[in-house]
Amino acid sequence: MVDPLAPQTSLGCVLTNTLVRITNGNRYCTGTLITPNTVLTCAHFFREEPHNTYVWVAGRRLVYKDIQFFAGTDVALLTLPTSISLDDDAYPELGSAPSPGAPTATVGLGGTHRRDGSYRIRAGRYLFPVPFSTSRDRKTKVRRGGMIFNINSAVKGDSGGPVFVNGKIVGVQSMITDPFNLNLHLATIALVGHLNLR
């Protein structure tokens, strides 16, 4: 079991092998390998241009074979063309919706460089459930989401990144709250516990 708020080195083994960078031109987002050939991420990244997209995982560049969306929320599963073999306990566990006040750790690649293998862990708190939320342009929608407060705010590139509570992934980073380009350290996550992901 991974302590999401422990020093970065304690997450290193899991994240080094399972954290995924998804790129399309200059755009990128974060994902997580949850089975040998399945990546959990956000759906909104694929809205405009789902093709010519690469999945960088465990030192390899792959093109996903299939994508599954979940109606009404910002969650996607990518099926890889080949399996990434890891120990069974290397894949993160999935968890149910947390209680208000629970400590969170959002892991993302926002603000990092493609080749340096770095990632950011943003500690925070789960505030409350969000039955429905939408982006300003109304293109991204989250049903059965949650609001979290991050001490270090989530940024562009963190989308799709796993949100850990008690060592389990409870959701993926979806939207930040940034009226007038002022990041309020608040983020909407798409919860995953009610979805059939494995």
Side-chain angles (χ1 to χ4, degrees):
M1 187 75 63
V2 176
D3 175 1
L5 296 182
Q8 193 163 330
T9 52
S10 71
L11 277 172
C13 181
V14 171
L15 297 177
T16 298
N17 292 317
T18 62
L19 204 62
V20 174
R21 183 182 293 265
I22 302 163
T23 63
N24 186 302
N26 292 326
R27 300 169 53 240
Y28 69 96
C29 72
T30 306
T32 312
L33 192 67
I34 60 169
T35 74
N37 68 339
T38 307
V39 172
L40 172 66
T41 188
C42 60
H44 73 256
F45 184 81
F46 302 89
R47 183 174 56 232
E48 296 175 7
E49 178 122 18
H51 306 293
N52 303 316
T53 297
Y54 295 107
V55 178
W56 303 77
V57 56
R60 302 170 69 178
R61 186 184 83 163
L62 303 170
V63 176
Y64 66 88
K65 183 172 69 174
D66 192 24
I67 185 167
Q68 178 183 358
F69 297 110
F70 295 84
T73 198
D74 193 25
V75 175
L77 287 181
L78 307 181
T79 302
L80 302 179
T82 186
S83 293
I84 307 296
S85 297
L86 303 172
D87 293 337
D88 287 342
D89 60 357
Y91 303 101
E93 295 180 61
L94 303 177
S96 56
S99 301
T104 62
T106 301
V107 182
L109 299 169
T112 65
H113 297 287
R114 177 181 299 179
R115 301 197 184 279
D116 66 5
S118 62
Y119 51 83
R120 304 264 163 79
I121 301 175
R122 307 182 192 281
R125 293 275 175 183
Y126 182 82
L127 299 179
F128 50 81
V130 177
F132 177 78
S133 183
T134 185
S135 59
R136 283 191 293 269
D137 62 9
R138 302 193 183 279
K139 292 181 179 178
T140 301
K141 296 177 175 60
V142 173
R143 284 190 172 84
R144 296 189 72 170
M147 183 68 70
I148 61 174
F149 175 83
N150 289 310
I151 296 169
N152 297 310
S153 58
V155 297
K156 188 174 182 178
D158 288 335
S159 289
V163 179
F164 287 91
V165 171
N166 294 325
K168 297 181 179 181
I169 297 176
V170 299
V172 298
Q173 168 63 34
S174 178
M175 297 179 282
I176 60 174
T177 304
D178 59 347
F180 307 105
N181 293 317
L182 177 63
N183 194 318
L184 300 181
H185 296 242
L186 296 171
T188 301
I189 66 172
L191 297 172
V192 299
H194 61 289
L195 301 173
N196 183 18
L197 300 181
R198 284 184 167 148

